[in-house]
Amino acid sequence: MSNSISLTRYLVEQQRTKGRITPELRLLLEVVARACKRISISVNKGALGDILGSADSENVQGEVQKKLDVIANEVLIEANEWGGHLAAMASEEMDTIYVVPNRFPQGEYLLMFDPLDGSSNIDVNVSIGTIFSVLKKQNDRTDAIEPVSEQDFLQPGNQQVAAGYCVYGPQTTLVLTVGDGVAMFTLDREQGSWMLTADQVRIPEDTKEFAINMSNMRHWDAPVRRYIDECLAGKEGPRGKDFNMRWIASMVADVHRIMTRGGVFMYPWDKREPDKPGKLRLMYEANPMGWLVEQAGGAATNGRQRILDVEPTKLHQRVSVILGSRNEVERVTQYHLEADSAA
Ligand code: P6P
């Protein structure tokens, strides 16, 4: 028998052998994986598929939507509404939640996603991705009259039952956790199957590579400035080693590099929008990525607190993100706490 393991076999083992997931969650994740496969086909068409450029519309964030943002969102909604495992969905591209219509079977799970993260890279053929997070509908309102509401989604990231991303790059790779470590599945285009290519992924605790948008340096808070200045000082500075910098401006691609070889990713608060804690969204970017990184032995904080413990108050709320190699994340977090106590 082939020793290659498909996503289906991995999920069946997580359900039957390890008892980590229900049959409904297994089927939900299979639906999401199939949707990512469909998105990958559209992404790979590029200019041949009339999917580049702007959709001449804006999303709830006030960002101009790319055609592929809209296509990816529609693929995920359509694939999941009849799947029978969901009560509702929330998307970066939609103002309000999408409650599965009564004509479809209702499930007990809530799915949140950024359907196409890194849209600014679509037209220049740089890796982009889909990020997703799964929660259980907390209150047992299965017989409730009122439909599920936005309130049901407002659970901290430590309540997630599954999280993952799909990176559309030189390979199309699905990276997933259901709480039993992190597994990576590469799309075998000839068979159309997701094949396990890495399991129990580990992020090195130390690194010499940081990812941040350096053009924002003048806007950063002191602890972030201190950390980056020390990295830039290299061997002659307090860190005693040289650092390298990477910034792809696709969180999925930057995080995938860190999952693969370590590093620290930072999108911190900055004074351009002082009333907002950061640019990235808590529910469908920071929480899923934060859980994946922790499941791989890394750490994820907002500079002061574990991201997964942040209590959400709004569906599209933003958060400052520092994640990756544990010892580096702890150092940046320590600098924030020292600055707070000195204030
Ligand atoms: P900037 C993409 O728009 C995104 O949400 C993340 O994927 C990425 O890490 C970040 O924003 C890039 O932001 O300000 O460098 O363009």
Side-chain angles (χ1 to χ4, degrees):
M1 182 173 92
S2 150
N3 60 2
S4 56
I5 295 177
S6 67
L7 173 66
T8 299
R9 180 173 154 190
Y10 175 88
L11 291 174
V12 166
E13 285 174 0
Q14 287 295 334
Q15 174 199 329
R16 292 199 190 134
T17 317
K18 301 189 175 181
R20 292 206 64 88
I21 59 176
T22 63
E24 294 74 21
L25 180 54
R26 171 169 66 82
L27 292 168
L28 165 55
L29 292 173
E30 295 252 28
V31 169
V32 172
R34 263 196 304 280
C36 289
K37 214 188 310 182
R38 280 187 56 196
I39 294 168
S40 163
I41 291 165
S42 296
V43 168
N44 290 156
K45 283 192 178 132
L48 299 174
D50 185 27
I51 50 103
L52 302 183
S54 163
D56 298 329
S57 53
E58 274 193 4
N59 63 16
V60 64
Q61 330 286 341
E63 296 164 337
V64 174
Q65 289 178 305
K66 298 281 192 180
K67 285 180 187 168
L68 215 44
D69 284 321
V70 176
I71 292 167
N73 193 60
E74 287 167 356
V75 166
L76 280 157
I77 294 284
E78 183 201 322
N80 281 288
E81 65 182 351
W82 55 267
H85 320 299
L86 281 181
M89 292 175 250
S91 165
E92 182 194 54
E93 300 302 330
M94 299 189 302
D95 302 15
T96 58
I97 65 169
Y98 179 88
V99 179
V100 175
N102 287 334
R103 66 179 181 279
F104 295 112
Q106 303 296 302
E108 60 174 326
Y109 292 103
L110 304 171
L111 176 67
M112 295 164 286
F113 48 83
D114 179 355
L116 207 80
D117 173 68
S119 307
S120 62
N121 285 319
I122 296 172
D123 296 356
V124 296
N125 199 13
V126 169
S127 298
I128 48 186
T130 297
I131 310 172
F132 61 91
S133 169
V134 183
L135 293 167
K136 277 191 77 168
K137 207 168 69 162
Q138 281 301 295
N139 37 26
D140 46 4
R141 293 192 312 175
T142 41
D143 55 352
I145 298 164
E146 73 281 2
V148 64
S149 72
E150 184 171 305
Q151 193 59 36
D152 293 88
F153 284 82
L154 300 183
Q155 302 174 43
N158 57 41
Q159 295 300 303
Q160 292 174 100
V161 292
Y165 63 82
C166 186
V167 52
Y168 310 112
Q171 303 99 42
T172 293
T173 302
L174 182 73
V175 179
L176 175 70
T177 186
V178 293
D180 180 31
V182 174
M184 294 186 174
F185 301 86
T186 301
L187 182 60
D188 176 338
R189 292 191 180 282
E190 286 156 22
Q191 297 185 61
S193 309
W194 294 102
M195 301 310 290
L196 184 70
T197 44
D199 198 3
Q200 294 307 328
V201 170
R202 302 304 291 170
I203 297 174
E205 292 188 343
D206 294 300
T207 183
K208 294 180 178 177
E209 199 158 65
F210 66 89
I212 193 167
N213 184 336
M214 292 294 286
S215 68
N216 298 327
M217 180 179 269
R218 64 190 182 285
H219 304 304
W220 296 334
D221 212 353
V224 172
R225 186 66 189 263
R226 173 184 172 192
Y227 175 77
I228 296 298
D229 283 347
E230 288 180 357
C231 291
L232 296 175
K235 257 204 283 294
E236 296 72 33
R239 300 301 308 275
K241 60 182 181 180
D242 291 338
F243 280 76
N244 189 25
M245 193 214 101
R246 286 283 182 274
W247 188 249
I248 304 174
S250 266
M251 185 185 197
V252 172
D254 279 314
V255 170
H256 191 67
R257 184 189 57 254
I258 289 167
M259 296 296 287
T260 307
R261 70 184 191 210
V264 58
F265 171 95
M266 302 168 71
Y267 211 112
W269 171 93
D270 71 48
K271 56 178 184 271
R272 289 175 296 168
E273 296 186 287
D275 59 324
K276 290 193 179 122
K279 172 180 184 182
L280 303 180
R281 290 79 177 185
L282 174 65
M283 299 305 289
Y284 40 78
E285 289 177 333
N287 274 342
M289 291 307 204
W291 195 28
L292 284 161
V293 164
E294 285 193 359
Q295 282 287 308
T301 76
N302 63 4
R304 293 174 172 83
Q305 167 186 25
R306 185 180 178 228
I307 280 181
L308 299 191
D309 292 338
V310 173
E311 283 292 343
T313 54
K314 290 198 191 96
L315 188 60
H316 297 291
Q317 77 182 61
R318 297 165 186 264
V319 69
S320 178
V321 177
I322 294 143
L323 61 76
S325 293
R326 174 168 293 280
N327 292 342
E328 293 302 313
V329 173
E330 288 176 354
R331 176 183 289 268
V332 183
T333 305
Q334 184 55 32
Y335 288 1
H336 279 80
L337 298 176
E338 284 172 9
D340 292 349
S341 55

